[in-house]
Amino acid sequence: ADEATKNADNAESKLQQLQEEHERTKTSAAEAHEAETASLRQQLKQKEMESSELHQSISDLQASVDTSSEAITQAKRQNRELEDGIAALNDKVSSLQSRCSELTEAAEQKDAEVTSLTEENGELKRTIANLEAELAVVREQLQGATSVADLESAEPTPRLDE
């Protein structure tokens, strides 16, 4: 019986040690679990902040893409307007070149007319000079003649252009 009591006391003591060790392990496990949970919560908050920052960056990029798309659309519209303006100017240049050709041709014709008239004018001036010379000869003859009979007997003056 003593041995049974001793065994029972030993078993009871062993049970108490195991219960104390179990409590310590349970407390230690709970503390480790709380520490791990706190760490995971902190990591989760960090990931949520990173996610929020990424969402903001995505929103900013989308706004930038929208702005760029709008600017590209506007630039294309302006480019089409400039191309239309260039085409209109090219049409005007072509029209002005045709008009310049017409005016150049007309100026060449007028130049030819002026040249012809200048030549005619030179011929007329020579004719006038010849007639003036003839007139001077006739005047000299008139001044030297004393009577109408002298004039009738005088030889005709040869023309200078003959």
Side-chain angles (χ1 to χ4, degrees):
D2 272 343
E3 184 130 345
T5 304
K6 190 175 176 188
N7 281 341
D9 283 344
N10 277 345
E12 201 174 301
S13 172
K14 189 78 167 165
L15 178 62
Q16 189 173 353
Q17 283 176 355
L18 285 173
Q19 284 177 342
E20 286 173 4
E21 190 177 324
H22 175 68
E23 282 299 318
R24 280 193 306 272
T25 302
K26 194 167 108 178
T27 301
S28 177
E31 288 173 355
H33 178 69
E34 285 179 27
E36 189 175 341
T37 301
S39 174
L40 288 173
R41 282 190 180 124
Q42 185 63 29
Q43 288 177 11
L44 179 62
K45 284 182 183 177
Q46 182 67 29
K47 295 295 179 190
E48 285 174 346
M49 285 194 324
E50 289 174 6
S51 176
S52 177
E53 289 172 359
L54 285 174
H55 281 295
Q56 185 60 46
S57 292
I58 289 170
S59 293
D60 293 347
L61 285 172
Q62 185 61 48
S64 177
V65 166
D66 292 346
T67 301
S68 295
S69 293
E70 187 176 313
I72 288 170
T73 301
Q74 187 176 13
K76 285 180 179 179
R77 183 173 42 254
Q78 288 174 344
N79 192 31
R80 280 192 302 274
E81 290 171 0
L82 288 173
E83 287 173 350
D84 291 347
I86 289 170
L89 287 174
N90 283 337
D91 290 346
K92 286 182 181 178
V93 166
S94 179
S95 174
L96 287 173
Q97 286 173 335
S98 294
R99 182 68 178 133
C100 282
S101 293
E102 292 171 4
L103 291 173
T104 300
E105 190 176 311
E108 288 171 354
Q109 288 175 352
K110 292 295 179 190
D111 259 357
E113 288 176 22
V114 166
T115 301
S116 174
L117 289 173
T118 302
E119 289 172 1
E120 279 184 45
N121 190 31
E123 290 174 22
L124 289 173
K125 284 182 180 179
R126 283 189 293 278
T127 302
I128 289 171
N130 289 339
L131 289 173
E132 286 175 345
E134 286 180 30
L135 180 62
V137 169
V138 168
R139 281 188 181 146
E140 280 181 27
Q141 288 177 351
L142 284 176
Q143 286 176 354
T146 54
S147 68
V148 174
D150 288 343
L151 287 175
E152 288 176 348
S153 67
E155 290 184 30
T157 305
R159 294 193 59 151
L160 293 175
D161 59 348
E162 289 179 352

